[in-house]
């Protein structure tokens, strides 16, 4: 007869096709049932943190929920940093773990429910009679609230027979949030009127707009208003018309592009939380700019927002396009219609949209260009700007970029364009964590088996997660490439605290040969000291994926070149 663990595995596999993890005493029966009785694919990682990171990356790359698994106690506590990142980033996933027996904790048990709650994750504990139903509830909770959940199997019930697996209902997923009521309708009218009258309209989209599938509607809105567009770091590629797009806002943005954003007189933000980095610490928009926000959060998320609509980005964008058509009469705040002004032939009807010449009169391509850097920095090491630019020339077009955290994150975000938000993931930035890069490759590779997965990592984070270098190489194979920005330091700390006169020795890392690490686990490693050394990336990209190895580029970069976003951080903290 199926066990409680089998009930969990079989039910989970009806809705999730990938599980990542490390086997241990607490999840052994679960993994046995997953392997023997389901079609779900299990991918082993070498550190429990990687189980959550891989499931997180899988969702970001594909939009499909995945699961991680670990044993109880030490196995579970190893997942907490990654779990906190997924909570902060609002990523749905299920973490299946063993837990203390129902009879009470053993000497090596900890209060896992309290620990999960401390980082913002809810725990569902299965029993002998409700394991299948509880599994469905856990999945439904994760999808509804876009958060990770913990599904715990107490040790003394894991192998208990539970009878035939019952037919479980499918998890319900929430409907799109539609703007409702007279106030929302009035605010939509206000936004439409502001865009109609704006001389320099600007649209900004974040990851929420991508999740809502708002790209086409936002493109239509930009065309209807003549607006320039841009995205947050997590929303790049949402707008279909690249010729009018300023790229990424905030510290990753090009200086010329950010100057144009400050020229905007009306801004509408879709699906972006407007955090301090996107907002350039409050300086993204000029004083007096009218800022409207559209999001599913209960209220506006920044003090600069003057008007807010709670709603799905796609639905709101479509509603605004409808209001900006010549046939539409704007309603007042109370919903009563306002008649359009008569057209006397001397001016367009009040309800007509007059395309403003702003986006046609500026050189968008020049505005979004970045400093190309020098071949080598004054200290003789690689300039990361020129290296990033050269790497972008050689990377395969089908790339999905996954980024660890650290000072280096600016280089890929500035110099490596991607076609859509699900092709650039920064796992760790929501919780300001490093050391989640290598297992990100695992999740992205399973989610996008047709694409080349490119990791961008620093030497500090790369060492912290080095256990899962083997997992990345094994999983991605020739579809995997890693760029390690090796400055022999925790760069962000050196640039921020070294400048303040703090002792730098704790911030330094003896230079590590990552190329040798790569060779040890069956990959090809290349130490890159000059731009010419990057030719191996060019020849590698030209090979069929099935014939090439996982490639690791160990870039010996100068620690003296400070990323622009880091310069902003330094300025704010000085």
């Amino acid at each position: 007869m199926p066990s409680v663990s089998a009930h969990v595995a079989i039910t989970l596999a009806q809705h999730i096709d990938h599980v990542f993890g490390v086997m241990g005493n607490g999840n052994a029966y679960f993994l046995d049932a997953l392997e023997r009785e389901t079609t779900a694919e299990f991918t082993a990682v070498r550190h429990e943190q990687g189980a959550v990171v891989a499931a997180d990356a899988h969702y970001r790359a594909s939009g499909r929920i995945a699961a991680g698994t670990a044993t109880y106690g030490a196995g579970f506590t190893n997942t907490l940093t990654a779990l906190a990142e997924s909570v902060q980033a609002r990523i749905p996933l299920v973490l299946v773990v063993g837990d203390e027996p129902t009879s009470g904790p053993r000497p090596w048990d900890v209060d896992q429910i309290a620990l999960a709650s401390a980082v913002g994750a809810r725990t569902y504990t299965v029993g002998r009679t409700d394991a299948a139903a509880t599994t469905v509830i856990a999945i439904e909770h994760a999808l509804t609230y876009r958060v990770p959940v913990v599904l715990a199997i107490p040790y003394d019930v894991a192998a208990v027979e539970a009878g035939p697996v019952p037919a479980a209902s499918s998890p319900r997923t929430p409907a799109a949030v539609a703007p409702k009521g007279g106030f929302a309708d009035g605010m939509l009218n206000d936004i439409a009127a502001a865009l109609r009258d704006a001389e320099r309209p600007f649209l900004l989209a974040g990851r929420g707009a991508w999740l809502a599938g708002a790209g086409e509607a936002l493109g239509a809105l930009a065309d209807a208003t003549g607006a320039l567009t841009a995205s947050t770091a997590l929303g790049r590629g949402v707008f279909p018309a690249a010729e009018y797009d300023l790229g990424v806002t905030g510290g990753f943005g090009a200086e010329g592009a950010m100057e144009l954003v400050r020229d905007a007189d009306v801004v509408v933000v879709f699906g972006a939380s407007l955090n301090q980095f996107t907002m350039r610490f409050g300086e993204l928009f000029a004083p007096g700019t009218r800022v409207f926000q559209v999001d599913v959060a209960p209220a506006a998320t920044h003090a600069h927002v003057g008007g807010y609509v709670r709603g799905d980005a796609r639905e709101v964008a479509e509603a605004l396009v409808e209001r900006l058509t010549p046939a539409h009469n704007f309603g007042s705040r109370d919903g009563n219609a306002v008649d359009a002004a008569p057209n006397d032939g001397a001016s367009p009807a009040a309800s007509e949209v007059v395309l403003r010449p702003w986006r046609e009169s500026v050189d968008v391509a020049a505005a979004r260009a970045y400093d190309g850097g020098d071949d080598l920095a004054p200290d003789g090491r690689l300039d990361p700007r020129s290296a990033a630019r050269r790497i972008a020339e050689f990377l395969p077009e089908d790339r999905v970029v996954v980024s660890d955290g650290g000072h280096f994150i600016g280089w890929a975000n500035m110099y490596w364009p991607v076609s859509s938000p699900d092709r650039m993931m920064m796992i760790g930035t929501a919780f300001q964590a490093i050391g989640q890069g290598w297992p990100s490759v695992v999740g992205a590779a399973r989610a996008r088996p047709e694409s080349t997965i490119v990791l961008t990592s620093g030497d500090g984070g790369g060492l912290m997660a080095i256990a899962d270098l083997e997992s990345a190489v094994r999983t991605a194979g020739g579809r995997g490439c890693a760029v390690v920005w090796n400055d022999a330091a925790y760069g962000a700390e050196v640039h921020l605290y070294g400048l303040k006169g703090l002792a730098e020795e704790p911030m330094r890392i003896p230079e590590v040969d990552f190329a040798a690490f790569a060779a040890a686990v069956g990959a090809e490693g290349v130490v890159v000291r000059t731009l010419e050394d990057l030719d191996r990336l060019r020849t590698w990209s030209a090979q069929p994926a099935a014939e090439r190895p996982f490639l690791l580029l160990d870039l010996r970069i100068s620690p003296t070149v400070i990323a622009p976003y880091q310069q902003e951080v330094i300025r704010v903290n000085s």
Side-chain angles (χ1 to χ4, degrees):
M1 296 291 284
S3 65
V4 168
S5 294
H7 279 228
V8 173
I10 293 169
T11 306
L12 190 80
Q14 293 174 19
H15 311 290
I16 289 175
D17 54 14
H18 276 83
V19 180
F20 306 89
V22 179
M23 181 193 166
N25 203 28
N27 63 348
Y29 288 99
F30 165 75
L31 285 174
D32 177 74
L34 193 77
E35 287 284 308
R36 294 176 183 273
E37 302 184 50
T38 79
T39 58
E41 185 174 1
F42 173 69
T43 300
V45 292
R46 303 309 176 204
H47 189 285
E48 286 90 356
Q49 173 179 251
V52 176
V53 173
D56 181 314
H58 185 281
Y59 178 81
R60 297 195 206 206
S62 67
R64 304 191 309 275
I65 187 171
T69 185
T71 188
Y72 47 67
F76 172 75
T77 57
N78 272 344
T79 69
L80 286 174
T81 296
L83 198 61
E85 160 67 18
S86 299
V87 169
Q88 297 287 340
R90 303 296 301 274
I91 303 298
L93 60 88
V94 178
L95 174 59
V96 181
V97 296
D99 204 350
E100 65 183 44
T102 58
S103 56
R106 300 156 297 183
W108 52 86
D109 285 316
V110 293
D111 190 340
Q112 296 184 185
I113 294 176
L115 288 170
S117 179
V119 299
R122 181 166 181 174
T123 299
Y124 289 91
T125 302
V126 304
R128 186 176 61 83
T129 61
D130 65 354
T134 301
T135 301
V136 172
I137 292 170
I139 298 171
E140 186 173 287
H141 183 105
L143 292 171
T144 298
Y145 299 103
R146 288 184 184 166
V147 291
V149 298
V150 177
L151 186 62
I153 306 175
Y155 182 69
D156 58 341
V157 303
V160 170
E161 291 186 358
V165 179
S169 59
S170 296
R172 295 172 296 175
T173 54
V177 177
K180 298 178 182 178
F183 182 84
D185 194 56
M187 183 55 68
L188 288 171
N189 290 339
D190 285 356
I191 297 173
L195 287 171
R196 180 196 63 193
D197 297 333
E199 294 183 0
R200 297 176 301 280
F202 173 66
L203 305 181
L204 174 62
R207 177 169 166 263
W210 169 256
L211 293 174
E216 182 177 348
L218 288 174
L221 182 60
D223 289 341
T225 58
L228 284 172
T229 66
S231 67
T232 67
L234 298 180
R236 71 189 65 229
V238 167
F239 291 98
E243 65 268 31
Y244 301 121
D245 194 80
L246 296 173
V248 177
T249 59
F252 299 151
E255 197 56 41
M258 296 306 95
E259 289 175 2
L260 286 175
V261 173
R262 281 187 66 84
D263 287 341
D265 56 358
V266 173
V267 175
V268 187
V269 181
F270 293 86
S273 64
L274 298 178
N275 63 39
Q276 62 181 352
F277 302 109
T278 295
M279 290 294 288
R280 306 192 91 185
F281 298 92
E283 296 186 1
L284 181 65
F285 306 129
T289 302
R290 297 185 68 188
V291 181
F292 300 93
Q293 185 182 24
V294 176
D295 201 68
V296 294
T301 58
H302 197 277
H304 288 189
V305 174
Y308 183 76
V309 175
R310 183 171 187 262
D312 175 83
R314 180 181 58 79
E315 293 199 9
V316 172
E318 290 173 346
L320 290 172
V321 171
E322 181 182 355
R323 282 166 166 76
L324 289 164
T325 57
H328 187 86
N329 289 331
F330 287 104
S332 64
R333 273 299 176 105
D334 60 7
N336 296 322
V338 177
D339 292 334
N343 185 4
D344 59 7
S347 61
S351 59
E352 289 185 10
V353 177
V354 179
L355 284 181
R356 305 300 180 184
W358 187 39
R359 76 174 185 175
E360 305 289 347
S361 64
V362 298
D363 190 339
V364 174
R368 66 185 180 210
Y370 294 103
D371 184 347
D374 302 311
D375 287 5
L376 298 177
D379 61 3
R381 293 172 70 96
L382 271 174
D383 185 324
R385 296 167 297 184
S386 60
R389 181 166 44 84
R390 180 66 60 87
I391 289 169
E393 296 173 5
F394 297 154
L395 284 176
E397 290 292 331
D398 70 342
R399 61 184 174 268
V400 173
V401 179
V402 295
S403 177
D404 199 356
H407 170 250
F408 67 89
I409 61 174
W411 309 131
N413 276 283
M414 293 166 65
Y415 292 93
W416 299 354
V418 293
S419 59
S420 58
D422 58 345
R423 289 184 175 270
M424 172 66 83
M425 293 166 281
M426 294 186 291
I427 301 181
T429 54
F431 192 50
Q432 297 293 288
I434 69 171
Q436 303 192 29
W438 296 115
S440 297
V441 174
V442 177
R446 290 299 190 222
R448 304 292 287 267
E450 78 290 351
S451 299
T452 302
I453 312 301
V454 182
L455 169 67
T456 174
S457 177
D459 50 335
L463 287 171
M464 189 177 292
I466 200 67
D468 276 310
L469 167 59
E470 182 275 334
S471 305
V473 172
R474 168 171 40 87
T475 305
R479 294 188 300 107
C481 173
V483 177
V484 178
W485 307 87
N486 189 349
D487 60 358
Y490 295 105
E493 285 70 22
V494 170
H495 298 315
L496 181 58
Y497 297 108
L499 289 176
K500 292 185 176 184
L502 276 66
E504 292 191 16
E505 189 58 31
M507 310 172 196
R508 301 293 178 180
I509 302 170
E511 190 164 76
V512 172
D513 188 347
F514 283 90
F517 268 122
V521 292
E524 178 182 345
V526 177
V527 175
V528 179
R529 293 189 172 90
T530 68
L531 294 182
E532 288 69 29
D533 292 335
L534 289 170
D535 283 348
R536 175 58 183 124
L537 176 60
R538 177 181 56 80
T539 59
W540 180 87
S541 295
Q543 292 178 261
E547 299 176 9
R548 64 194 187 196
F550 187 104
L551 180 65
L552 187 152
L553 302 173
D554 182 354
L555 271 61
R556 305 299 171 86
I557 63 167
S558 172
T560 64
V561 181
I562 303 176
Y565 89 91
Q566 187 72 42
Q567 292 172 346
E568 284 189 356
V569 175
I570 292 168
R571 174 181 53 79
V572 170
N573 285 276
S574 295

